[in-house]
Amino acid sequence: MIIVLKQGTPETEVRPLRQILSDKGIILQDIVGETTHMIGLAGDTTHIAIDWLGSFRFVDHVMKVTEPYKLAGRKFHPQDSVFDIGGSKIGGGNFAVMAGPCSVESEDQILSIAHDVKAAGATFLRGGAFKPRTSPYAFKGLGLDGLDLLKIARRKSGLPIVTEIMSNEYLDAFARDVDVIQIGARNMQNFTLLREVGRLGKPVLLKRGLASTFEELLMAAEYVISGGSTQIILCERGIRTFETATRNTLDISAIPVLQKKSHLPVIIDPSHATGHWDLVEPMSYAATAAGADGLIIEVHNHPEMALCDGAQSVTPAVFHKIMKKVKLVREAIQQI
Ligand code: PEP
Ligand code: MN
């Protein structure tokens, strides 16, 4: 961090701040130019807030030199993180595919889809039991009954299960029953939830907020990791823009940017990013070619009967085709 002082600040004004910072173990280095006086801060500045420094009247502005996300960042963890979750690997060249319906609707539905996505090569089964819906009148998931159905589907398919938590109320059930706990876009900055889920020490799928920067996403990951869960998968699922042709705008740059900044695996959700089943296929290939560590795709055996997100759900047949072509795209990229 670098503090830039207002021109002409007398040393007597700065002295109390110097004292506080030295007491915190920070080493201060002055850089004095003809018109500018800067103080460089070295050491562990994690607990020094920029806002607090800015509250000193003689401070012109403060510049960050290192990222505030020490645990999620690559700096202190240069190698890719690789997780083995119930036999399914992700990260460091292991490509994961999470597939399944937006919501678990019935035993027949989830078992049939689990069987189909497994046969096509998916490595995780997704399915919402608690659904964040914009309308209070819309189907909000089967709740704990949905978790029970996911457990049956895991037993029958052998696929680890990914499902979203929306409230601290169900932490115990998720800790016991779920392989990967999803924190949805709308809860990416629910800091109490992040902290409590972190305490469970379980794998977490963290989705980028609807209008969140990469730094905000990585700070959300930092919350979870500092709580205790180290296995975090980052997910780009489209962000809000002025475009209306798609549900969101898929930010493909999230893949290389996040992979540069962080050691955590980065996956793409082309279903929520586009909102249209026929756009899921091209976006899956684009994400794969850009080096994503995996995909999360909504698949439904009867999209027109789906209780949630039918328009963006692909059928098992289309999913099968996507899996085959994704494999070819990966092989092509690996050969270059
Ligand atoms: C979901 O995965 O079904 C979901 C609601 O995703 P998001 O939080 O990205 O909208
Ligand atoms: Mn959905």
Side-chain angles (χ1 to χ4, degrees):
M1 253 178 207
I2 295 174
I3 304 173
V4 181
L5 305 185
K6 286 199 174 118
Q7 249 183 329
T9 302
E11 178 54 28
T12 45
E13 263 191 62
V14 190
R15 206 166 290 139
L17 176 60
R18 286 191 191 278
Q19 192 59 53
I20 301 172
L21 291 172
S22 315
D23 290 348
K24 289 180 188 286
I26 306 291
I27 297 154
L28 306 179
Q29 177 75 56
D30 285 73
I31 308 153
V32 185
E34 233 170 79
T35 53
T36 318
H37 184 171
M38 299 186 278
I39 306 175
L41 275 56
D44 183 8
T45 54
T46 329
H47 299 286
I48 313 286
I50 291 189
D51 287 0
W52 170 69
L53 291 173
S55 70
F56 288 85
R57 305 295 129 138
F58 54 82
V59 171
D60 188 77
H61 63 281
V62 181
M63 292 182 292
K64 276 189 298 184
V65 182
T66 50
E67 301 90 1
Y69 38 85
K70 301 255 182 296
L71 301 169
R74 244 195 215 280
K75 194 162 190 179
F76 298 106
H77 194 302
Q79 71 285 15
D80 286 348
S81 276
V82 182
F83 312 138
D84 185 331
I85 303 165
S88 291
K89 282 195 178 166
I90 181 165
N94 299 287
F95 196 82
V97 180
M98 304 175 177
C102 180
S103 352
V104 181
E105 297 167 5
S106 67
E107 184 166 339
D108 281 353
Q109 176 242 24
I110 195 69
L111 289 184
S112 156
I113 298 172
H115 173 269
D116 287 343
V117 299
K118 165 90 192 254
T123 51
F124 291 85
L125 175 67
R126 67 144 289 153
F130 296 88
K131 295 304 303 175
R133 302 303 297 274
T134 304
S135 165
Y137 310 115
F139 174 65
K140 282 181 282 304
L142 297 180
L144 292 175
D145 292 341
L147 282 193
D148 286 340
L149 297 181
L150 281 169
K151 278 158 58 186
I152 299 173
R154 171 175 54 198
R155 203 171 56 241
K156 299 227 165 150
S157 67
L159 293 175
I161 52 178
V162 186
T163 193
E164 176 168 357
I165 191 164
M166 284 177 42
S167 145
N168 287 342
E169 203 183 328
Y170 297 109
L171 284 163
D172 290 345
F174 275 70
R176 193 181 53 236
D177 296 335
V178 174
D179 300 299
V180 180
I181 303 178
Q182 176 174 330
I183 295 182
R186 289 154 196 83
N187 273 315
M188 190 207 85
Q189 286 193 315
N190 179 339
F191 299 113
T192 341
L193 186 65
L194 294 174
R195 179 69 81 199
E196 292 303 319
V197 168
R199 289 213 173 104
L200 301 179
K202 299 204 66 152
V204 172
L205 171 65
L206 180 61
K207 297 187 102 181
R208 182 182 183 185
L210 278 69
S212 299
T213 62
F214 296 135
E215 180 163 318
E216 286 164 339
L217 172 60
L218 291 170
M219 288 309 281
E222 190 81 5
Y223 254 92
V224 184
I225 303 177
S226 61
S229 295
T230 52
Q231 300 189 321
I232 315 295
I233 300 159
L234 303 172
C235 178
E236 158 65 32
R237 43 78 72 205
I239 47 172
R240 275 277 162 89
T241 68
F242 47 83
E243 183 53 69
T244 54
T246 46
R247 183 174 177 180
N248 291 290
T249 295
L250 178 57
D251 183 359
I252 283 279
S253 73
I255 303 161
V257 173
L258 290 170
Q259 286 172 341
K260 189 157 85 179
K261 291 179 182 293
S262 173
H263 53 90
L264 300 169
V266 180
I267 69 165
I268 291 289
D269 175 345
S271 310
H272 292 89
T274 63
H276 298 279
W277 71 269
D278 53 342
L279 299 180
V280 169
E281 201 187 321
M283 291 304 97
S284 297
Y285 308 144
T288 308
D293 296 290
L295 297 165
I296 177 163
I297 298 180
E298 285 188 343
V299 181
H300 201 287
N301 45 355
H302 298 292
E304 56 290 339
M305 306 284 277
L307 296 179
C308 185
D309 288 349
Q312 67 191 35
S313 300
V314 296
T315 57
V318 170
F319 178 68
H320 199 265
K321 178 178 166 208
I322 293 175
M323 290 299 286
K324 281 213 270 200
K325 283 225 228 170
V326 159
K327 188 165 173 277
L328 294 176
V329 174
R330 290 197 71 225
E331 283 165 9
I333 293 294
Q334 279 158 358
Q335 277 164 23
I336 298 170

